[in-house]
Amino acid sequence: MAKIEKQNNLDFYNKIAELLRKARKNVIQSVNKTMVYTYFEIGKTIVEEEQKGKIRAEYGKKIIKGLSQKLTKEFGKGFSLRNLEQMRKFYLTYGKQIETQKNKKTQTLSAELDKIKNQYPEFNLSWSHYLFLMGIEDIKERTFYEIEAYNNNWSLRELRRQFDSALYQRLILSRDKKSVKELSQKGQILEKPEDSVKDPYVLEFLGLPENKKFSETELEQKLIDKLEHFLLELGKGFTFVGRQVRFTFEDEHFRVDLVFYNRLLQCFVLIDLKIGKLTHQDLGQMQMYVNYYDRFVKLEQENKTIGIVLCRKKNDAIVEITLPENNEQIFASKYLTALPSKEELKKLINNKDNE
């Protein structure tokens, strides 16, 4: 009896504790959002005041410096000259994307903030996120990362990692012009198998130098050890099923290196790892794996299986001639164990545009 009572008390405590955790999280999110909107409006006010000056640059420096001194004296840290200039830049960066409404007066701060929220797109990220995003000059690329950071709840560290690994440019490489346009409007949308594929995949988190020799088993083990990072690199909707998943057909045993399931596409995703150059035999083997899963593993209501061969090197001509013209299931992608330079990716994109 005492044991049951103790468990009931623990359950009671956990319910109350969870309510408090959620409340605390909501308060923090509310404070962060209010701070971002306030900084936006401060930036707007500074820009409007600057425009009254005859010599804009000199006048702007003068008013920001004076404002910084007064605000710091009354409100403390957080209003340095640099911070105020960042608020100004925040308005100039995001204010260009909307139409401002003028000659509307409000009497309270809350009413003013409501007015701002009605005028401008929602700012759903932290101020630290926006400080980083403002450094991305291309509006389409910046909007893509803003959408993805919000949809995937990226921390600032993860946002930096995705940008440094050139996620936007890599997705461009595997998409047609219509899909590229959608990236900057909706973020990454998974509607068909090829939407889930990147080329190349960047596996810098494994800590494997580009010039180091390693076996497929070592590569697989590294991916398992860093599974959380690998799932982030794979993208949306992926859940891990197993490694070296065995199946038997006609008394022969086969093993798939890595098996995942994508909840958004509602299908299995099979990954085979190759440390050398891709061959047509590798593609044929993956085709057999995919066929087996389609015929004997997937449920009737699930979509067709996707197979991805990850390789160090590949010849696109070999891939094209090996796979059927209407292929929508088998893909070959390179993997990199170090971050590519933006110049390398730009070259690949330019070559794609010229094809």
Side-chain angles (χ1 to χ4, degrees):
M1 190 73 180
K3 188 176 181 180
I4 295 175
E5 185 176 352
K6 185 177 180 181
Q7 183 61 47
N8 288 338
N9 289 337
L10 181 60
D11 292 342
F12 176 67
Y13 168 80
N14 287 336
K15 287 179 181 179
I16 300 298
E18 183 61 24
L19 287 172
L20 290 173
R21 291 189 195 101
K22 288 181 179 179
R24 183 174 294 179
K25 183 178 179 180
N26 289 336
V27 168
I28 292 172
Q29 290 176 339
S30 178
V31 169
N32 284 336
K33 182 171 286 192
T34 299
M35 183 175 70
V36 171
Y37 278 109
T38 301
Y39 287 171
F40 186 88
E41 185 68 6
I42 289 173
K44 175 176 179 285
T45 305
I46 290 172
V47 170
E48 290 177 343
E49 183 65 23
E50 281 179 337
Q51 291 172 348
K52 297 177 183 177
K54 294 180 180 179
I55 304 175
R56 186 174 176 182
E58 292 181 7
Y59 183 75
K61 290 179 181 178
K62 182 179 178 181
I63 66 165
I64 293 179
K65 185 176 181 180
L67 180 64
S68 173
Q69 292 171 346
K70 292 179 180 178
L71 289 176
T72 300
K73 185 177 180 180
E74 182 173 352
F75 296 100
K77 295 180 180 180
F79 297 97
S80 65
L81 186 62
R82 173 177 167 76
N83 286 348
L84 290 177
E85 286 174 345
Q86 288 173 330
M87 295 175 202
R88 175 183 178 276
K89 182 181 178 181
F90 185 45
Y91 172 73
L92 290 174
T93 300
Y94 284 87
K96 292 177 182 178
Q97 301 176 37
I98 47 84
E99 292 182 3
T100 52
Q101 297 179 4
K102 298 181 180 179
N103 302 320
K104 284 191 176 182
K105 296 182 179 181
T106 54
Q107 297 178 350
T108 66
L109 175 61
S110 60
E112 182 67 17
L113 289 173
D114 286 340
K115 182 193 77 171
I116 299 169
K117 292 174 185 178
N118 289 331
Q119 287 181 355
Y120 309 123
E122 261 198 276
F123 295 126
N124 293 304
L125 302 174
S126 74
W127 176 239
S128 297
H129 282 79
Y130 286 109
L131 287 177
F132 178 79
L133 288 168
M134 282 190 286
I136 303 175
E137 294 183 6
D138 187 295
I139 294 177
K140 292 179 180 179
E141 184 178 2
R142 182 172 67 236
T143 303
F144 165 79
Y145 283 113
E146 184 179 358
I147 293 170
E148 289 297 299
Y150 173 66
N151 287 344
N152 297 292
N153 197 28
W154 285 347
S155 64
L156 177 59
R157 181 178 180 180
E158 183 58 28
L159 171 59
R160 288 180 182 276
R161 189 265 161 186
Q162 295 290 1
F163 175 78
D164 289 341
S165 69
L167 174 62
Y168 179 70
Q169 284 81 3
R170 287 188 286 140
L171 290 175
I172 285 177
L173 289 173
S174 58
R175 279 160 173 73
D176 56 28
K177 291 184 178 180
K178 180 183 177 182
S179 297
V180 169
K181 185 178 179 181
E182 288 181 344
L183 283 175
S184 62
Q185 297 174 338
K186 304 175 183 177
Q188 186 181 6
I189 304 297
L190 268 63
E191 295 178 337
K192 50 189 183 298
E194 53 263 41
D195 293 339
S196 66
V197 179
K198 299 185 181 79
D199 191 16
Y201 286 84
V202 179
L203 311 179
E204 92 293 347
F205 51 84
L206 299 181
L208 293 170
E210 281 285 271
N211 57 354
K212 180 181 177 181
K213 291 185 178 180
F214 47 84
S215 67
E216 289 169 2
T217 301
E218 289 175 313
L219 176 60
E220 180 186 315
Q221 185 60 53
K222 286 281 188 179
L223 289 172
I224 295 299
D225 292 343
K226 298 281 187 177
L227 185 58
E228 183 178 353
H229 294 80
F230 189 40
L231 285 169
L232 286 170
E233 174 61 14
L234 286 175
K236 296 180 178 179
F238 282 88
T239 58
F240 180 60
V241 176
R243 63 183 293 195
Q244 291 298 311
V245 178
R246 176 176 142 168
F247 67 88
T248 302
F249 185 72
E250 293 291 322
D251 295 327
E252 286 193 60
H253 304 303
F254 303 92
R255 293 181 183 274
V256 185
D257 289 342
L258 300 170
V259 178
F260 295 85
Y261 191 85
N262 191 287
R263 295 178 296 107
L264 301 179
L265 293 174
Q266 294 188 325
C267 68
F268 285 100
V269 180
L270 315 181
I271 294 181
D272 215 12
L273 304 172
K274 301 298 175 184
I275 60 171
K277 188 175 181 180
L278 181 74
T279 67
H280 67 276
Q281 290 95 335
D282 297 328
L283 295 171
Q285 178 178 266
M286 177 55 77
Q287 182 70 71
M288 189 267 287
Y289 291 170
V290 165
N291 289 345
Y292 180 86
Y293 265 72
D294 278 350
R295 296 171 190 176
F296 302 106
V297 180
K298 86 174 187 70
L299 300 177
E300 185 177 349
Q301 67 269 24
E302 292 176 325
N303 292 314
K304 289 185 177 181
T305 304
I306 298 172
I308 303 174
V309 182
L310 278 183
C311 54
R312 251 344 238 282
K313 298 178 181 179
K314 69 167 181 170
N315 184 321
D316 288 330
I318 293 294
V319 175
E320 186 176 346
I321 198 65
T322 302
L323 298 175
E325 291 184 3
N326 59 347
N327 168 62
E328 293 183 344
Q329 289 182 263
I330 311 297
F331 302 93
S333 293
K334 288 176 61 177
Y335 64 84
L336 305 175
T337 55
L339 291 173
S341 68
K342 291 294 177 69
E343 289 70 28
E344 290 174 322
L345 287 164
K346 285 179 180 178
K347 185 177 180 180
L348 287 171
I349 293 170
N350 290 333
N351 290 338
K352 174 179 179 279
D353 290 339
N354 293 328
E355 290 178 355

